[in-house]
Amino acid sequence: MASVRNKINPLLCNLPYVLTWRRFGFRTICSGRLGFAPSTSPSMADTDTPVAGTKVLETFAEEFEIGSRKITLETGKIARFANGSVILAMEETKVLSTVASSKGDAIRDFLPLTVDYQEKQFAQSVIPTTYMRREGAPKERELLCGRLIDRPIRPLFPPGFYHEVQVMASVLSSDGKQDPDILAANASSAALMLSDIPWGGPIGVIRIGRISGQFVVNPSMEELSISDLNLVYACTRDKTLMIDVQAREISEKDLEAALRLAHPEAVKYLDPQIRLAVKAGKQKKEYKLSMVSEKTFEKIQNLAKEPIEAVFTDPTYGKFERGEALEKITQDVKRALEEEGDEEGLKILPKTVDTVRKQVVRRRIISEGLRVDGRCLDEVRPLYCEAGNLPVLHGSAIFSRGDTQVLCTVTLGAPGDAQRLDSLVGPSSKRFMLHYSFPPFCTNEVGKRTGLNRREVGHGTLAEKALLAVLPPEDDFPYAVRINSEVMASDGSTSMATVCGGSMALMDSGIPVREHVAGLSMGLVSEVDPSTGEIKDYRLLTDILVRTVVSIFLNGLEDHLGDMDFKIAGTRNGVTAIQLDIKPAGIPLDIVCESLDPALKGRLQILEHMEREINAPRIQDNIYSPRLVTSKYSNDALRRLIGPVGALKRKIEDETGARISVSDGTLTIIAKNQSVMEKVQEKVDFIIGREIEIGGVYKGIVVSVKEYGAFVEFNGGQQGLLHISELSHDPVSRVSDVVSVGQQLSLMCIGQDVRGNINLSLKATLPRPKSKTDISVDEPVAPTSQEVNVWAAIEDVSNELENQGATVGPETNDSTLKSATPAVLIRSAAECDEEEKSDALNLKGDNGSQSASKSEKKTRILSSLSESGFSSRSAKKSKRSKDAILDLISDDESEQKHTPVGLHSQIGSDKDDATPETPMSANKLKLGMRVTAKVHQIRALGLVLDLGGGIRGMYRFEPGMKRDFEVGDELRVKCSSFSTKGIPVLSLVKEE
């Protein structure tokens, strides 16, 4: 290796030891300081190979404790070339913050401060899931954390310091227990203190939570998830710099208590930063400040002051008229300076004219109590509210306050539409999103639409925090919700107008929000003592006119000319969101707390107007209302629906436009209206089916046709029987006349027999045929899902023909088909023959066995019903059905006591006829049996026949037949079928 190095650079290798740095005992420069190596030096006489020395990194650290959390500030180990660098650690979460400043003297009239916050996935030992496996553009959270750092440090740079400054905060490691945003803000403050950049820090930033009414300092992420307050507070030793609040309707009194607790806790960050700066800080550099000479300022002030006062004292000026008048004044002053040849004045003209405007407006507000637009200090601008202006959308609203106008729309989506969050801490997704858009036309300007804008993200997040407090829990309302706020015109606090418009749009969409949320901006105009820097006098302004653009002619408004922009949103019960930004180097906390009361009064005025427009969530029953259905399926069924690599699921979504979400055995379908939902459900039912319910209508395909009916495949492969009696309201002689193999039908599930076969009905889905009267003999009424009717009670048979015309639909119940029983118990021929043999044996016995006790008969009947599935019914309906049957038995026995021999056959040789020895009963009557019956009643469409033994049946007149019947006539009839209520349907037997 030595020979290789000699060939590469022989001069370096042959350099005498006496000429090296190590000969003099110097070591590497670290942290801007020159250190000395140990006195013992390696012997170079014995070898030609130089030995690498040990690099010593001089580090400085400060340790302290806040809110039971140990915090460490460290510098000197990494990022040594940065103007200032600090690592702040809380437990295992560490954040590096660095500061750098440009050296040039570019001509500008503003501070180009850039704050970048970055969370890379290596901080939690994870490889990014992107295609390139690396982090992409800044995410929303990174932009918001950058704003959180920028807002408190920007006011502390000295006036006239316009050099470019960049602050970069990077998360080195995260244990998921602490939010790194607070650590990054404090680390940035410490880095600025170590740098040579002039800055009026340090600052302290603290987070306060509240759990069960108790405030918590520096809460962990787990504690923050159950807290009803998330307060971030930044301050200097005696003044407030920034406030950011998300709360669940906290009262103004409790909020003030939290602010007063946060200030002394945040101050604890200051002394460690000062001690670290004393140890390792750099000497502050003399940067060139862009200051205006008093002579030039007075010249421009004399030229512009009176015209500016005339513009601001005229309340008839609108936004753009005022801007044009101020621009004209600037041009007049410019021409005067050009005539004089004042180059210095021309360079600083825009900034100086803006300063004159600020003096005029502030003096007028403090001395006269008059505002730019002529309002009183606590007056809210005129309001306009309209909900539901776009009825095709899920929800919409327009909110106007003065000239500010915002259009808000609500879109509901499936749970799978929730936004996925790829952050180091916090939840992995959020179901409520609010996207704020500020197009150039809202200020009559020309501009380019780009990607994520820090201002738009910040304003949208503030409104999102404000509305999140009133949304229903996810268990009660599983929709994903997106609000779009489109600013139509801007002349003051469009973010608070978004809160108001978004609240109305949520109610218009039918979301069960608890109550309205409204917001407005409070402003501050103060007069400061130049000698002490203390505020001598101040005025609080309600509903300020906010500067929205950087155009010269629109700068003279209350936000730009004032000291504070204090946005407060909430309900009647309390505050839900706050954002405080200031322009001077801090304001007293007492003034901040004082502004809470006028903000509440203004908020209540706005809420009254909103409630007059819409005061409760709408009941969404129109065709445009979204639909959401959640069903439970097995994992195998869901796999069939998803298909290979989700292809089948995507195909259904593409064809219908609906969204399908699958999660843990749950299928969620969301459609924009009812027609789309029906299409999706039809496709899902065809693939995997759904839970079968009695009374439910299903689409199926006929797979086979038999003499007694047809078998239909439906509900994802299940089969059911469509009996011949359920094909049509009219008699059907052959099944093939109505249905054929391969035909698609819409069928209703009417029950399940004792063997578990599913019974279907076609006629239950068809319209009822019209008749001249309301009486119908054989009405196809689907059986109820809970009651069991073996036969109708005796007293009800006489009215059966008349009652069949009534419309009786199937009861839909939550019980499954397993608990359903047949409405009519029909035995097979073999079962009936066996029963007859048993009865014949009983007839040969003594009278005691023939006349069994009433209790024994009841026991037999109830036992038979239990075997048929009667016991699976609910207790209440089961008891009612049993009582009806027992009453039937009692009536039967009473009838037999007076008529010992029931209806008997005229042809004893026919095995299907009733015999004289066998009394007629419900258990003995079967299909095809011939009996002799007496006319009990004559109806318009048929006869009520007495079969004996308390049994009555019905006979319907045939077209063209003679109807010369009289009560008491005997007729030879045959049992041809049974009605859905168990009533025998009879037909006449022609005499041979």
Side-chain angles (χ1 to χ4, degrees), residues 397-471:
I398 293 177
F399 180 83
S400 297
R401 182 171 52 217
D403 290 332
T404 296
Q405 186 182 64
V406 170
L407 169 65
C408 291
T409 61
V410 171
T411 306
L412 303 181
D417 293 329
Q419 180 182 356
R420 291 189 295 271
L421 304 177
D422 193 15
S423 59
L424 298 180
V425 294
S428 59
S429 64
K430 66 175 181 178
R431 66 185 182 103
F432 178 58
M433 301 154 280
L434 194 150
H435 297 155
Y436 168 96
S437 179
F438 192 90
F441 67 80
C442 69
T443 55
N444 194 28
E445 289 192 330
V446 177
K448 229 175 12 174
R449 299 298 296 161
T450 57
L452 284 177
N453 180 281
R454 286 177 181 253
R455 179 181 177 277
E456 291 182 343
V457 171
H459 281 32
T461 302
L462 175 62
E464 182 181 300
K465 291 178 181 178
L467 295 173
L468 187 62
V470 298
L471 284 182

Side-chain angles (χ1 to χ4, degrees), residues 17 56 128 166 249 309 423 537 561 572 727 756 800 849 950 992:
Y17 176 71
V56 179
Q166 185 176 34
E249 298 179 282
E309 285 181 344
S423 59
D537 197 5
L561 304 179
R572 291 184 178 273
L727 287 173
E800 180 65 26
S849 61
E992 297 179 359

Side-chain angles (χ1 to χ4, degrees), residues 339-402:
E339 292 175 358
E340 296 179 5
D342 190 347
E343 295 295 333
E344 180 184 359
L346 290 173
K347 291 180 181 179
I348 61 172
L349 176 62
K351 190 73 174 177
T352 308
V353 171
D354 183 64
T355 304
V356 176
R357 295 175 189 169
K358 182 179 295 187
Q359 290 179 345
V360 171
V361 173
R362 294 169 67 90
R363 181 190 56 77
R364 191 162 177 261
I365 290 175
I366 291 179
S367 62
E368 303 176 19
L370 297 176
R371 302 170 66 171
V372 173
D373 54 359
R375 285 183 293 149
C376 298
L377 299 182
D378 58 351
E379 184 179 350
V380 179
R381 286 171 289 170
L383 303 173
Y384 172 80
C385 303
E386 180 183 354
N389 58 299
L390 300 174
V392 177
L393 305 184
H394 295 168
S396 60
I398 293 177
F399 180 83
S400 297
R401 182 171 52 217

Side-chain angles (χ1 to χ4, degrees), residues 61-326:
E62 286 289 332
E63 292 186 359
F64 55 102
E65 187 174 312
I66 298 178
S68 73
R69 312 282 184 189
K70 183 180 178 181
I71 302 172
T72 303
L73 287 170
E74 183 181 284
T75 186
K77 181 177 290 187
I78 59 177
R80 296 179 298 109
F81 284 172
N83 202 330
S85 66
V86 169
I87 296 177
L88 192 148
M90 182 182 293
E91 296 178 353
E92 295 303 321
T93 300
K94 296 183 179 182
V95 179
L96 168 67
S97 184
T98 61
V99 177
S101 176
S102 65
K103 304 300 187 291
D105 295 329
I107 299 176
R108 58 176 68 91
D109 60 354
F110 65 96
L111 171 63
L113 172 64
T114 303
V115 179
D116 293 321
Y117 172 88
Q118 190 172 31
E119 293 180 348
K120 290 193 174 182
Q121 294 300 309
F122 73 79
Q124 54 182 357
S125 302
V126 172
I127 297 176
T129 57
T130 59
Y131 178 76
M132 299 298 294
R133 295 297 187 267
R134 62 187 303 160
E135 289 77 14
K139 299 181 286 289
E140 282 191 15
R141 172 177 164 80
E142 293 175 327
L143 295 179
L144 294 172
C145 291
R147 283 173 53 89
L148 195 72
I149 301 170
D150 183 296
R151 287 157 54 194
I153 67 175
R154 184 179 291 270
L156 298 181
F157 286 95
F161 180 81
Y162 298 146
H163 295 268
E164 188 174 4
V165 177
Q166 185 176 34
V167 178
M168 298 189 68
S170 303
V171 182
L172 300 181
S173 66
S174 173
D175 58 5
K177 298 179 181 179
Q178 299 294 329
D179 196 328
D181 57 354
I182 300 300
L183 307 185
N186 286 289
S188 300
S189 172
L192 284 168
M193 290 294 293
L194 294 177
S195 70
D196 62 8
I197 302 172
W199 188 65
I203 65 170
V205 185
I206 197 73
R207 172 173 273 117
I208 302 292
R210 188 176 70 167
I211 303 174
S212 300
Q214 300 296 321
F215 292 115
V216 180
V217 179
N218 277 341
S220 64
M221 294 304 300
E222 183 178 356
E223 293 172 332
L224 205 58
S225 64
I226 59 175
S227 171
D228 62 354
L229 173 66
N230 184 0
L231 166 64
V232 178
Y233 181 85
C235 65
T236 60
R237 194 172 298 276
D238 55 354
K239 291 184 179 180
T240 301
L241 289 170
M242 185 269 296
I243 298 174
D244 197 278
V245 174
Q246 179 181 356
R248 299 173 189 167
E249 298 179 282
I250 184 173
S251 66
E252 279 74 10
K253 180 179 179 182
D254 292 344
L255 179 61
E256 181 178 349
L259 293 173
R260 297 196 180 279
L261 170 66
H263 189 90
E265 293 294 334
V267 169
K268 294 179 181 179
Y269 278 100
L270 305 184
D271 290 336
Q273 296 181 49
I274 295 173
R275 292 196 297 268
L276 185 66
V278 171
K279 294 179 183 178
K282 297 179 180 179
Q283 183 71 28
K284 294 301 179 181
K285 186 177 178 181
E286 293 293 334
Y287 283 84
K288 182 180 179 181
L289 302 181
S290 299
M291 305 299 293
V292 181
S293 65
E294 292 200 12
K295 178 181 178 182
T296 304
F297 177 78
E298 289 179 359
K299 179 190 295 186
I300 296 176
Q301 183 181 34
N302 294 333
L303 293 173
K305 183 176 181 180
E306 290 185 2
I308 290 176
E309 285 181 344
V311 172
F312 282 123
T313 54
D314 189 353
T316 61
Y317 276 112
K319 177 185 180 74
F320 295 101
E321 292 81 0
R322 185 186 303 115
E324 291 173 357
L326 293 174

Side-chain angles (χ1 to χ4, degrees), residues 682-972:
E682 180 180 345
K683 293 180 179 294
V684 172
D685 293 346
F686 186 78
I687 298 172
I688 62 176
R690 67 175 187 266
E691 185 179 357
I692 301 177
E693 296 180 353
I694 296 178
V697 178
Y698 305 87
K699 289 189 176 182
I701 298 177
V702 178
V703 294
S704 64
V705 177
K706 306 295 182 183
E707 294 181 357
Y708 51 85
F711 286 96
V712 180
E713 183 175 316
F714 73 107
N715 201 45
Q718 294 181 326
Q719 283 196 356
L721 173 62
L722 176 60
H723 194 265
I724 187 173
S725 62
E726 296 295 334
L727 287 173
S728 174
H729 294 289
D730 299 323
V732 177
S733 58
R734 290 191 304 176
V735 178
S736 58
D737 293 342
V738 181
V739 297
S740 59
V741 176
Q743 183 178 355
Q744 185 173 356
L745 302 172
S746 291
L747 305 171
M748 178 182 289
C749 175
I750 59 175
Q752 186 180 23
D753 61 22
V754 293
R755 296 179 180 84
N757 300 320
I758 300 172
N759 296 326
L760 304 173
S761 174
L762 176 61
K763 68 180 182 181
T765 63
L766 300 176
R768 189 184 311 279
K770 295 183 179 180
S771 60
K772 295 182 180 180
T773 63
D774 293 336
I775 304 175
S776 177
V777 177
D778 190 9
E779 184 66 21
V781 179
T784 62
S785 60
Q786 297 295 333
E787 305 236 349
V788 178
N789 294 318
V790 180
W791 305 112
I794 294 176
E795 60 271 19
D796 294 336
V797 178
S798 61
N799 297 324
E800 180 65 26
L801 292 172
E802 195 170 15
N803 293 337
Q804 285 296 308
T807 301
V808 182
E811 292 182 5
T812 302
N813 197 280
D814 293 336
S815 61
T816 61
L817 285 176
K818 293 182 179 180
S819 64
T821 61
V824 181
L825 299 178
I826 301 178
R827 295 174 173 79
S828 65
E831 291 174 339
C832 293
D833 292 341
E834 186 68 21
E835 184 69 20
E836 287 178 354
K837 292 178 182 179
S838 176
D839 291 341
L841 293 175
N842 291 337
L843 288 174
K844 295 178 181 179
D846 55 26
N847 294 333
S849 61
Q850 291 180 2
S851 56
S853 65
K854 184 186 297 184
S855 61
E856 292 174 346
K857 290 186 178 183
K858 292 180 179 180
T859 303
R860 291 206 315 270
I861 295 296
L862 295 177
S863 175
S864 176
L865 291 174
S866 299
E867 294 175 358
S868 302
F870 188 91
S871 59
S872 64
R873 292 298 183 269
S874 60
K876 182 176 180 181
K877 292 193 174 182
S878 297
K879 185 177 185 303
R880 185 167 66 248
S881 300
K882 292 178 181 179
D883 293 342
I885 295 169
L886 295 180
D887 292 341
L888 177 62
I889 298 171
S890 302
D891 294 340
D892 187 14
E893 291 181 349
S894 176
E895 188 73 20
Q896 291 181 15
K897 187 179 295 184
H898 294 86
T899 309
V901 179
L903 193 67
H904 54 274
S905 173
Q906 293 180 351
I907 305 175
S909 61
D910 193 344
K911 65 180 181 179
D912 290 333
D913 292 355
T915 61
E917 296 80 10
T918 305
M920 182 55 59
S921 66
N923 294 333
K924 294 179 176 55
L925 184 63
K926 63 180 182 179
L927 293 175
M929 179 176 287
R930 299 177 181 180
V931 296
T932 301
K934 290 183 179 181
V935 178
H936 180 71
Q937 284 185 355
I938 301 175
R939 298 285 183 175
L941 299 179
L943 304 174
V944 177
L945 302 179
D946 188 352
L947 306 181
I951 306 302
R952 291 174 184 173
M954 51 189 178
Y955 167 74
R956 183 169 60 182
F957 292 139
E958 297 178 0
M961 69 172 294
K962 294 183 179 181
R963 303 186 182 184
D964 51 350
F965 298 100
E966 293 181 1
V967 176
D969 290 349
E970 290 188 354
L971 302 175
R972 188 66 174 167

